[in-house]
Amino acid sequence: MYEFAVTPAVTSIRRRGVEIAEVSPASLGSELELESGDRILKVNGRNVRDYLDFRFQTAGETELVFEVRKHTGENWELQIERDEGEDFGLSFEQIVPRQCANECIFCFCNGNPADARPSLFIKDEDVRLSFLYGNYTTMTSISEDEMGRIIEQRLSPQYVSVHATDLEVRAYLLGIDKARADIAPKLKRLLDAGIEIHAQVVLCPGINDGEVLRQTIADLAAEHPRITSVAIVPLGLTRYNTDKRLTAVTPEFCRQIIDEVGTIQAEFRKTLGTTFAFLGDEIYLRAGRSVPGRSHYGNYPQIEDGIGMVRSFRQQFAALLKKSAGKPQPHCVNLRGTILTGTLFAPVLKPLIENLNEGLGTQLAVVGVENNYFGGDVSVAGLLTGGDLVSAKQRLSGDFVIIPRSTLKSDEEIMLDGMSLAELTIKLGLPVYPFDLKSFAQFLWPRN
Ligand code: SF4
């Protein structure tokens, strides 16, 4: 007798239209009697696939016809007249990301422990999220429909993972054949249509460094200013990533890359008026070198990819210190606590906090925490887990603990290993504050 495990072949069926999540009171949407759970199927006869479509198809229109599937199952047609620029007061369901069909040899999904949160295994590759949040896509499986949509709806800029302009090397890195890996015609089409492109290279020692990297940078720079910038970020290996084709990024490798790319950057500043090819902060920190100054980053075109975060953090921190004007602040002298962060950032943060302690009279200590959950060379603060933070318990001092806000999910107080903030608080036996720089400043100056 056999037992059959019945699993659905399709786990999420994409329904027509876009679902309304919320309707603001006293808005045009509520006047139209739209409700959460209703789906807008068409605007002026055109299909609506998500809120970007809704935004595009309603923009600038004062006379509109909506086809709506009410949450009750009824179909409505709404004839609408609105004032120019009048908002509907509607918020919509999140975009369900498209998945990639690559097998990148460095894919972060291969470096997750088997029991990691399911969301860490999502291989999203979606040009809509690229436009909205700066997520990188490889454009290997982009459809004609998506290409047309980027151009028609001006989903610009797009963030594109190039990795190497040498087709053989790109195909090897992405784990796909050359025909699919060939990005040149797609990039050209987007650039010719006026779409701004930011590029990315995940640097894998021995594969796309050296001459391949120099050629990649040169090919991309030949399209400047249409290609605005290139982010060069190091491969990250966890202890679960055992692919023999990959070589770890060492401090020596980082120093070599800084020297090689530094020469090219200096040349670009003269010829293009911008650094153009930016190295990830991690490369400088792992090399034991200080990150470049403010002018190196211009308007921080790749800040979403973490490029220039340390410099920008230092700038904002300096502004914070200025606030204290070097005088001990009465409300701060009793603040004794520990700031936990990743081992990569701890040496950057320590002197800044020491200055703050001097200026404000606070007694804050910085502790760099090893990442045992992912292991390998993972040392950034945002990937610390609850278990890692608990392992630092013996090194805590003071009355509270500050952890990086980025260790928690954006919409839930839960860490990558599934530990909740409440559980962490119990395990550490002290109040735990998840802060970014802004909330840290509010903590120090609650009245501002
Ligand atoms: S494109 Fe991104 S998600 Fe997809 S396999 Fe490559 S690294 Fe992984």
Side-chain angles (χ1 to χ4, degrees), residues 100 102-104 106-108 123-125 138:
C100 86
N102 302 326
E103 289 295 337
C104 296
F106 52 78
C107 182
F108 57 88
K123 294 174 152 192
D124 73 88
E125 158 115 331
T138 60

Side-chain angles (χ1 to χ4, degrees), residues 95-219:
I95 284 174
V96 179
R98 265 199 58 181
Q99 306 283 299
C100 86
N102 302 326
E103 289 295 337
C104 296
I105 64 174
F106 52 78
C107 182
F108 57 88
C109 293
N110 306 335
N112 287 330
D115 62 350
R117 254 196 348 239
S119 61
L120 288 181
F121 292 94
I122 295 176
K123 294 174 152 192
D124 73 88
E125 158 115 331
D126 197 310
V127 292
R128 298 168 298 176
L129 302 183
S130 187
F131 164 68
L132 288 170
Y133 307 117
N135 294 9
Y136 273 93
T137 72
T138 60
M139 295 208 158
T140 51
S141 50
I142 188 170
S143 64
E144 178 51 38
D145 189 42
E146 286 169 309
M147 275 299 249
R149 184 176 183 182
I150 294 174
I151 294 166
E152 186 193 10
Q153 299 186 355
R154 313 305 301 163
L155 302 185
S156 175
Q158 285 289 314
Y159 292 79
V160 182
S161 278
V162 173
H163 304 318
T165 50
D166 180 309
L167 187 51
E168 195 113 10
V169 177
R170 183 168 203 261
Y172 178 75
L173 284 164
L174 297 181
I176 54 176
D177 61 42
K178 285 200 272 181
R180 272 190 55 218
D182 190 3
I183 200 177
K186 294 170 191 167
L187 275 186
K188 183 175 182 322
R189 186 167 162 203
L190 292 180
L191 292 170
D192 288 349
I195 302 298
E196 183 186 351
I197 301 283
H198 292 279
Q200 176 182 245
V201 170
V202 173
L203 196 57
C204 300
I207 302 176
N208 60 346
D209 54 346
E211 189 43 42
V212 177
L213 179 64
R214 281 191 285 279
Q215 192 57 53
T216 301
I217 296 173
D219 290 341

